[in-house]
Amino acid sequence: MAIKPSSAGASAHQIRLRNRLSGWSQQHQLVAVETLVRLLRQPFASIMTWLVIAIALTLPGAVWMTFDNLTQLSSRFQQSGSISVYLMPGTREEVAVGLQNALNAEDSVAKVSYISADQALSEFRRSSGLGDALDLLPDNPLPGVIMIEPDLRAAPAEVKAMIARAEHEPAVDAVVMDDAWLNRLEALIALSQRVVWVVSVLLGISIVLIVGNTIRMSIANRVDEIRVMKLVGATDAWVRRPFLYTGLWYGMIGGLISWLLLILGWLLVSGPVRNLASLYGSEFDLHPLSAAVALILLLSAMFLGWAGAWWSVVRHLDDIEP
Amino acid sequence: MSMVRFDQVTKRYSKSKDALSDVSFELQHGEFAFLTGHSGAGKSTLLKLMMLMERPSKGEVFVDGELLNRMKPSRVPFLRRKVGVVFQNHQLLFDRSVYDNVALPLLIAGYSPSEVPRRVRAALDSVGLLGFEKRNPIELSGGEQQRVGIARAVVNKPQLLLADEPTGNLDPELSEEIMNLFLRFQQVGVTVLIATHDIALIERMGHRRLILDHGTLFDKGAGSDKNAGPDKGDANGH
């Protein structure tokens, strides 16, 4: 039983700073790996927590994906709304037809139809039943209208430029886009997005609580270990570290599973959506989650897991004293 | 400068009774002393005050020249790294190997992982357990477990080694073996304080005795008449 001479413990202070730093970063790596291994050793309990986190993330993720697609859809509808070009009263027939042909020649226009003032009047007479009253009017009060259906493939800017050119024509009184329903759709989307935000925040809080509770239980299971660590000189940071990494892992793996679920959901739904869209004559295609959004999802999952662990550790760990 | 100094220390857990009352003593660097007394006399309390597991109600406690009374909680871990402790129930972790148990203080103190194995082996060698690294402490005998506890207490080369009833569960032969182990650490400069009620053993070994009786301390100096062991000559060394 040989004993090496000790310089009365002063050697503890002789650890060089560089050693200390490399020890510190190696310690972090070690703790990260150890905590992951610990989680994988109890697969059942870990998978339950991961799935709960994944589902809590998948719900807002899926809704986010839906709205992202809807917004793109509504910007396409923006162009598909028909445009009415009202002509000045008394515009002569040949001017109107000339304008119709000119508009028809525009790239951004799919289809143009002309309804003359007379046609409009007779249409109105038939549908309103005010025939006799209309006879009392000295002139036809209705203007001629050119109806434009924009080309769906045209860029919005092109359509806007075409509208601007039409407005400048001397024979044109006003150009009106039939987009009231579109505005309503957009307002509805804006409202729903607000609701989704609230739901997302609530689900985020629930992730913090789930992880916090799981960490609380693992702290309770390791009280003896924590006591011994504190007895031999562990700082609070050192004792907290494995639990914070555990929270980070919960969030990260939960986030990855959620991402897989979203891809799976997209694969399941995008076929039928394309089918439905084609029945409406649209080439609309459901986009998957972009890489940036997937990354944000993952990072926020990691943050929420870490925050849950932090919350639990601050509440329970510091109470454990040897 | 002494290693440990208690200056009129009183510790009161409840209003009715003092666990320690007006306790004063000093331990010099490299000294070896026993702390004894009936159970409930305040031995554990006295040890806990040196580890800041408790704080005194009155009086001052110094360890290595540092006043512990108002030490900030964030400094406490660094104090504990200077002090090795051995418990009666050895407080080993059974979910890991002997090696990992002994390595724990080194990892906590931030030694680089490349440095740890050498020091762990040196500590295990010093308690005669070289080759036990991969064993689980639960497979070991009581005496061997206690020696793992001692290896963990000394692996960081603390200046002060405290032991609370380290032989409480051991038969007399093993107890003497453990005590001799503590003596060896004292011989290389560690200050050692052992709380025990094993009077027979203390009397055989001699050395300074601090006796607690209902919270009051009596300092007996080196064991006198019954001092018959082999290496007792100048046990106090100062």
Side-chain angles (χ1 to χ4, degrees):
Chain A
M1 286 204 285
I3 297 171
K4 303 220 162 129
S6 150
S7 55
S11 57
H13 304 284
Q14 288 166 4
I15 310 168
R16 285 209 308 271
L17 184 68
R18 230 181 66 197
N19 268 353
R20 219 168 245 282
L21 273 179
S22 88
W24 185 81
S25 83
Q26 284 183 46
Q27 181 57 33
H28 266 266
Q29 292 167 19
L30 201 68
V31 170
V33 173
E34 263 177 17
T35 48
L36 183 60
V37 169
R38 204 179 264 268
L39 285 179
L40 295 174
R41 271 208 202 122
Q42 327 165 319
F44 187 71
S46 302
I47 284 171
M48 294 289 273
T49 310
W50 287 331
L51 280 183
V52 171
I53 295 170
I55 290 166
L57 283 167
T58 305
L59 285 173
V63 179
W64 203 94
M65 195 160 85
T66 310
F67 280 121
D68 187 38
N69 277 292
L70 269 185
T71 322
Q72 287 177 25
L73 195 63
S74 83
S75 74
R76 283 203 215 184
F77 276 136
Q78 194 84 49
Q79 305 162 46
S80 75
S82 65
I83 301 164
S84 307
V85 179
Y86 292 98
L87 301 178
M88 291 292 202
T91 302
R92 280 179 295 132
E93 203 68 15
E94 54 269 29
V95 175
V97 172
L99 191 56
Q100 182 190 359
N101 290 337
L103 286 171
N104 213 358
E106 293 265 1
D107 283 339
S108 56
V109 172
K111 202 175 144 199
V112 180
S113 53
Y114 169 56
I115 302 160
S116 71
D118 290 344
Q119 279 172 319
L121 186 64
S122 60
E123 176 93 357
F124 186 60
R125 195 189 293 275
R126 212 171 44 236
S127 61
S128 66
L130 295 171
D132 296 343
L134 288 172
D135 284 340
L136 296 174
L137 294 171
D139 302 308
N140 179 356
L142 298 175
V145 184
I146 297 173
M147 303 292 291
I148 301 173
E149 271 184 40
D151 191 326
L152 285 180
R153 285 159 302 186
E158 265 183 90
V159 178
K160 271 202 183 119
M162 182 270 292
I163 291 170
R165 278 194 293 278
E167 275 175 332
H168 277 97
E169 288 286 336
V172 171
D173 184 18
V175 180
V176 175
M177 277 189 75
D178 184 14
D179 57 1
W181 71 273
L182 203 60
N183 290 336
R184 283 186 210 121
L185 176 67
E186 272 171 4
L188 199 64
I189 290 175
L191 172 67
S192 312
Q193 267 168 345
R194 192 62 64 87
V195 173
V196 169
W197 267 115
V198 172
V199 173
S200 303
V201 168
L202 289 177
L203 286 168
I205 292 173
S206 75
I207 291 175
V208 170
L209 295 177
I210 291 160
V211 174
N213 197 44
T214 311
I215 297 288
R216 182 182 66 80
M217 288 190 286
S218 79
I219 289 175
N221 284 335
R222 295 169 70 183
V223 170
D224 291 339
E225 187 183 343
I226 293 163
R227 284 222 178 89
V228 169
M229 283 173 174
K230 286 196 172 182
L231 262 181
V232 297
T235 56
D236 285 348
W238 205 89
V239 178
R240 283 172 185 166
R241 202 168 293 145
F243 296 102
L244 295 179
Y245 269 104
T246 304
L248 207 63
W249 285 124
Y250 273 134
M252 187 173 160
I253 296 174
L256 283 172
I257 295 175
S258 153
W259 182 60
L260 289 176
L261 286 177
L262 285 170
I263 290 180
L264 194 70
W266 173 74
L267 287 173
L268 283 174
V269 166
S270 67
V273 165
R274 195 180 307 132
N275 204 10
L276 182 70
S278 73
L279 290 175
Y280 278 92
S282 160
E283 285 164 29
F284 174 73
D285 219 350
L286 196 65
H287 296 281
L289 226 49
S290 67
V293 174
L295 193 67
I296 290 172
L297 184 83
L298 198 61
L299 288 178
S300 35
M302 287 168 76
F303 171 76
L304 290 171
W306 177 85
W310 180 260
W311 174 69
S312 193
V313 153
V314 163
R315 283 194 45 192
H316 303 290
L317 207 52
D318 298 350
D319 295 342
I320 301 172
E321 278 298 327
Chain B
M1 190 178 54
S2 50
M3 186 67 222
V4 176
R5 185 151 75 88
F6 273 55
D7 208 355
Q8 296 181 304
V9 173
T10 295
K11 176 65 188 178
R12 183 169 298 168
Y13 290 112
S14 65
K15 275 182 188 164
S16 52
K17 196 171 150 282
D18 290 346
L20 291 176
S21 56
D22 205 22
V23 167
S24 300
F25 72 94
E26 279 186 59
L27 279 179
Q28 301 302 324
H29 274 287
E31 196 172 350
F32 188 103
F34 288 110
L35 176 64
T36 170
H38 60 92
S39 77
K43 300 192 292 289
S44 295
T45 301
L46 195 138
L47 294 182
K48 281 178 177 173
L49 287 170
M50 286 182 249
M51 296 288 290
L52 273 182
M53 287 159 79
E54 297 289 351
R55 285 174 190 262
S57 312
K58 250 193 278 175
E60 291 175 328
V61 179
F62 295 87
V63 169
D64 200 21
E66 230 178 329
L67 176 63
L68 303 191
N69 291 50
R70 280 182 296 279
M71 184 179 264
K72 278 190 272 172
S74 61
R75 293 291 312 157
V76 172
F78 301 95
L79 165 76
R80 289 180 183 159
R81 289 176 198 181
K82 281 198 282 194
V83 184
V85 208
V86 178
F87 301 90
Q88 177 175 7
N89 60 357
H90 46 72
Q91 302 260 24
L92 297 177
L93 299 172
F94 293 135
D95 64 344
R96 60 197 73 192
S97 66
V98 165
Y99 177 94
D100 287 336
N101 268 283
V102 177
L104 192 62
L106 297 178
L107 297 177
I108 284 172
Y111 284 79
S112 83
S114 58
E115 213 177 332
V116 171
R118 188 174 55 77
R119 286 176 184 266
V120 172
R121 273 197 298 277
L124 283 174
D125 190 17
S126 71
V127 299
L129 289 180
L130 204 55
F132 280 61
E133 287 94 328
K134 293 209 172 88
R135 303 275 287 275
N136 188 298
I138 210 159
E139 306 163 6
L140 306 183
S141 70
E144 286 166 340
Q145 288 180 344
Q146 194 54 280
R147 283 191 279 161
V148 176
I150 295 170
R152 187 183 63 191
V154 300
V155 71
N156 207 7
K157 299 201 172 160
Q159 291 158 276
L160 175 61
L161 184 56
L162 305 176
D164 193 359
E165 302 283 2
T167 60
N169 295 327
L170 305 178
D171 58 50
E173 214 169 301
L174 277 174
S175 299
E176 187 138 3
E177 206 182 302
I178 296 288
M179 288 302 178
N180 286 329
L181 204 48
F182 283 120
L183 266 177
R184 283 201 181 81
F185 287 108
Q186 185 240 345
Q187 283 157 7
V188 294
V190 182
T191 311
V192 181
L193 179 63
I194 299 170
T196 176
H197 56 243
D198 191 345
I199 303 291
L201 187 68
I202 296 171
E203 305 229 311
R204 271 207 308 284
M205 292 185 69
H207 294 287
R208 182 177 171 196
R209 271 192 278 167
L210 300 167
I211 301 167
L212 273 171
D213 187 14
H214 295 95
T216 310
L217 187 83
F218 302 93
D219 197 336
K220 269 287 207 51
S224 45
D225 45 350
K226 290 181 185 168
N227 186 354
D231 56 343
K232 299 294 149 38
D234 60 341
N236 285 346
H238 295 272

